[in-house]
Amino acid sequence: MDLELNARRLRVDALSLATREDLEEAIAAFAPLPPFSYLREPESGIVMVRARVGGTGKLFNLGEILISRCVVEARGKLGFGFAAEDDLKSAELAALLDCFGEIASLADKLEAVLRALKAKRERRLEAESRKIAKTQVEFFTLARGDDEPL
Amino acid sequence: MYVAVKGGEKAIKSAHALLSEARRGPLDIPEISQGQIRHQLGLAVERVMAEGSLYAPKLAALAVKQARGDLVEAIFLLRATRGTFPTWGYSEPLDSSAARAKRRISGTWKDLPGGQILGATFDYSHRLLDFELGDVARHSRPLGEAEEARGEGPRVPGEREPGQAREREPGETGAQEPGETGPSLEALPRAARILLGEGLLETESDDGETPGDLTRRTYPFPYSRELRLQSLARADEGFLLSLAYSTQRGFGSTHPFVAELRIGTVKVEFWAPELGFPVTVAEMEITECETVNQFRGNGGRPRFTRGYGLVMGDNERKALALAMVERALRAPEYEEGVKGPAQDEEFVLSHGDNVEAYGFVSHVKLPHYVDFQAELSLLRSLRENPGGTGDGFGEEGDGDGAL
């Protein structure tokens, strides 16, 4: 995948995983919003999640997940947005922000917004994993007698 | 003669109104929110998602609320809701090795790479009720009694302390302790790899085939392993637990070791046709269990066999039971013979779905007035003519529950 596509992918990924609050805060930075239209109105639907037997083997269908998606167009550019669950607003905001990344005059601002989104997520995950890491077991080997070799 | 009867509309309407009232409970108790259910009764929500076979935490929480905490009813509600959404296709395969772990343990290797991470577990707790979590103190505590004399383990920051200002717990400052780096919780290596290197364990490989999908059509027995895993992932947790237990008690033993059990969050990727590449559309929690079981020769050199359990959400008991039952169902593959119910594919897979089971079991409470009248008059006539042949006795008119 070329660099540009990869950057787009990372952007869509990051926007999908952002919380509604973070997306609303991010979109506020672009007010007043440029006029836009829907290519695909915000909608919810179901995707069957596939996994692999033993984590590495054949594919199987695990169960379904509810997601939302939206496609917008602004200034001749398209934006694709996804969100977990039945959350049309988040999908719309994500699509708009993705679209802004394609618009030359807004791209730099979007970069800064994305960096802030990622930093927030990282901080959140780091706080979580720090607590989890404290539950890692440290084993002590107990000697059964001073005079006997183990 | 067929007599159509009608009626009960008023009674049904009133019953539903009464149900709403019963659901709400006394009005002087605050109403429970979807968020409270999602986060404070989280494991109930996870179970509803797994067996409802739809990962949608907010809807599942709503289902738990609407069902008054009856989880099978909530699972039914979630399954029914699923039918109201369009289906968009299939995700890219989950990469469970890349899960951000919140718990990961192994029963086979003490020092496995990445370590044993207990996470938020009920294990090692005393299973004594913690009355401090209750609304009202059971009795007043004598003045001066030591604080640490209660409960098991430390209090969670933010948890209510009745009648007392909260004190800071050690290490609760929010700042990282000096020198504490902690393990990486992402991309923990799979424990089973340890054995694969030596060829001591069966390998799993992808043959590139598209797996069957039970939500799209029905399949004849015997199922492929992939179909079994789909069926078991949505099966009733209690049913799987009992079956797994039955294998341990001798009804088709599989001698499992838990190579690895992990709970973590994975990204769900979905192919975006307009973009031409897969993108992350959401995250989901999964519980994965790999068992290493009794070895088989199979013509070549003997090696361990494997059982696998994967469940949506935080569902450790089910993932473990699932892996054991999954391995038990491989009995014909290893020519072990089907000796117990857990090894009988048709028995296990036809009866594991609690929505189906609930539906068929509870249909008998629907009106069977005509069926029953027929049985009753037959019984009366048999008693009047003791010398009769008894023909027809035991025949069942019921097939669809409509009579």
Side-chain angles (χ1 to χ4, degrees):
Chain A
M1 189 183 294
D2 67 46
L3 279 177
E4 202 174 309
L5 280 184
N6 197 37
R8 181 81 183 265
R9 184 175 177 176
L10 291 176
R11 182 166 80 216
V12 175
D13 286 2
L15 291 168
S16 299
L17 299 180
T19 63
R20 164 87 77 91
E21 294 71 37
D22 289 351
L23 290 171
E24 276 170 349
E25 202 184 311
I27 203 88
F30 292 91
L33 297 182
F36 68 92
S37 58
Y38 295 121
L39 254 73
R40 197 200 292 276
E41 284 198 29
E43 57 178 348
S44 308
I46 284 169
V47 170
M48 176 59 86
V49 177
R50 282 192 170 147
R52 292 183 181 284
V53 180
T56 54
K58 290 184 183 183
L59 292 176
F60 72 98
N61 294 304
L62 173 66
E64 291 169 316
I65 186 169
L66 179 63
I67 60 166
S68 302
R69 68 181 176 189
C70 176
V71 185
V72 298
E73 181 181 4
R75 301 203 185 143
K77 303 285 187 187
L78 299 185
F80 300 89
F82 298 90
E85 297 209 61
D86 188 8
D87 186 353
L88 304 181
K89 186 75 191 170
S90 290
E92 182 189 358
L93 294 176
L96 277 169
L97 291 165
D98 175 52
C99 183
F100 296 164
E102 295 296 295
I103 298 170
S105 60
L106 299 176
D108 285 347
K109 201 176 192 176
L110 199 264
E111 268 311 304
V113 162
L114 272 185
R115 271 199 299 278
L117 277 181
K118 277 184 201 156
K120 266 188 199 171
R121 181 177 151 84
E122 270 159 29
R123 267 202 305 279
R124 212 167 36 235
L125 296 187
E126 204 188 287
E128 265 174 39
S129 55
R130 204 180 302 142
K131 286 186 204 162
I132 294 166
K134 283 185 182 169
T135 70
Q136 179 164 18
V137 180
E138 283 175 48
F139 288 102
F140 300 96
T141 305
L142 304 175
R144 272 166 290 183
D146 290 335
D147 48 343
E148 290 172 42
L150 288 177
Chain B
M1 184 176 63
Y2 180 75
V3 184
V5 287
K6 203 167 138 51
E9 289 93 338
K10 253 174 74 182
I12 291 170
K13 223 173 158 186
S14 304
H16 288 169
L18 191 59
L19 172 65
S20 297
E21 235 177 84
R23 176 186 302 122
R24 176 59 185 86
L27 294 176
D28 57 337
I29 294 174
E31 185 175 346
I32 194 167
S33 72
Q34 244 170 300
Q36 285 172 325
I37 296 171
R38 170 69 188 119
H39 297 290
Q40 294 179 35
L41 298 176
L43 295 181
V45 173
E46 312 268 328
R47 179 167 176 192
V48 169
M49 293 194 291
E51 292 167 41
S53 199
L54 180 65
Y55 198 88
K58 285 180 198 152
L59 292 188
L62 180 60
V64 171
K65 178 175 177 175
Q66 190 177 326
R68 304 179 59 200
D70 178 339
L71 297 190
V72 177
E73 184 71 31
I75 289 159
F76 194 166
L77 287 171
L78 196 63
R79 287 266 184 98
T81 306
R82 170 200 172 271
T84 66
F85 291 101
T87 51
W88 291 342
Y90 295 87
S91 81
E92 296 293 301
L94 292 183
D95 184 1
S96 55
S97 316
R100 195 168 70 243
K102 69 173 196 183
R103 169 165 168 80
R104 188 271 203 130
I105 53 167
S106 168
T108 46
W109 294 283
K110 179 168 71 71
D111 298 310
L112 82 168
Q116 309 255 5
I117 299 156
L118 300 182
T121 179
F122 292 122
D123 293 353
Y124 316 107
S125 69
H126 296 136
R127 265 71 182 221
L128 293 173
L129 263 186
D130 179 1
F131 291 100
E132 295 295 329
L133 284 173
D135 294 337
V136 185
R138 223 165 24 141
H139 52 78
S140 54
R141 186 173 293 113
L143 286 174
E145 187 181 305
E147 263 298 289
E148 58 268 26
R150 62 193 172 79
E152 28 173 275
R155 210 123 280 274
V156 172
E159 205 163 83
R160 204 176 47 80
E161 298 257 0
Q164 197 191 8
R166 201 170 63 81
E167 277 175 38
R168 250 171 194 233
E169 303 272 347
E172 199 207 300
T173 55
Q176 195 163 355
E177 284 161 31
E180 181 195 351
T181 48
S184 164
L185 301 175
E186 294 202 36
L188 291 171
R190 306 190 80 80
R193 269 199 350 212
I194 299 168
L195 291 174
L196 285 174
E198 282 182 75
L200 297 175
L201 185 68
E202 297 174 299
T203 50
E204 302 283 5
S205 56
D206 183 11
D207 58 3
E209 248 178 70
T210 305
D213 183 353
L214 295 169
T215 67
R216 289 281 166 270
R217 51 164 288 216
T218 53
Y219 296 83
F221 291 115
Y223 277 11
S224 62
R225 200 176 169 206
E226 301 80 76
L227 279 178
R228 287 202 298 258
L229 279 165
Q230 181 180 12
S231 176
L232 294 171
R234 55 197 274 150
D236 185 88
E237 178 183 314
F239 182 70
L240 292 183
L241 179 67
S242 297
L243 284 172
Y245 182 40
S246 75
T247 65
Q248 291 177 303
R249 292 194 65 258
F251 292 86
S253 181
T254 60
H255 304 284
F257 293 100
V258 174
E260 186 168 15
L261 200 150
R262 72 164 100 189
I263 307 173
T265 305
V266 283
K267 290 173 179 169
V268 178
E269 293 190 328
F270 184 53
W271 186 266
E274 303 94 334
L275 287 166
F277 50 81
V279 290
T280 301
V281 292
E283 284 186 309
M284 81 191 295
E285 212 162 82
I286 52 169
T287 307
E288 185 181 41
C289 180
E290 287 206 71
T291 60
V292 168
N293 303 65
Q294 202 166 45
F295 46 82
R296 307 299 303 176
N298 271 8
R301 297 166 71 190
R303 54 176 62 172
F304 285 119
T305 57
R306 307 169 77 157
Y308 186 63
L310 186 64
V311 185
M312 298 200 288
D314 180 335
N315 254 308
E316 177 172 317
R317 189 188 303 120
K318 177 167 173 180
L320 179 55
L322 202 166
M324 287 164 66
V325 174
E326 200 272 331
R327 173 60 186 83
L329 288 173
R330 301 181 74 186
E333 195 180 324
Y334 297 116
E335 293 161 8
E336 291 167 332
V338 174
K339 295 167 201 147
Q343 295 168 315
D344 182 336
E345 175 176 88
E346 189 172 351
F347 177 80
V348 173
L349 301 179
S350 303
H351 302 116
D353 190 302
N354 56 23
V355 176
E356 282 174 15
Y358 174 30
F360 203 67
V361 167
S362 50
H363 101 274
V364 299
K365 74 188 176 188
L366 292 172
H368 282 69
Y369 306 138
V370 179
D371 262 0
F372 182 67
Q373 281 303 322
E375 296 262 325
L376 194 61
S377 54
L378 177 63
L379 180 61
R380 281 187 182 133
S381 69
L382 283 170
R383 286 163 63 98
E384 279 162 23
N385 308 301
T389 60
D391 272 353
F393 197 60
E395 271 180 25
E396 294 187 31
D398 191 15
D400 55 11
L403 283 180

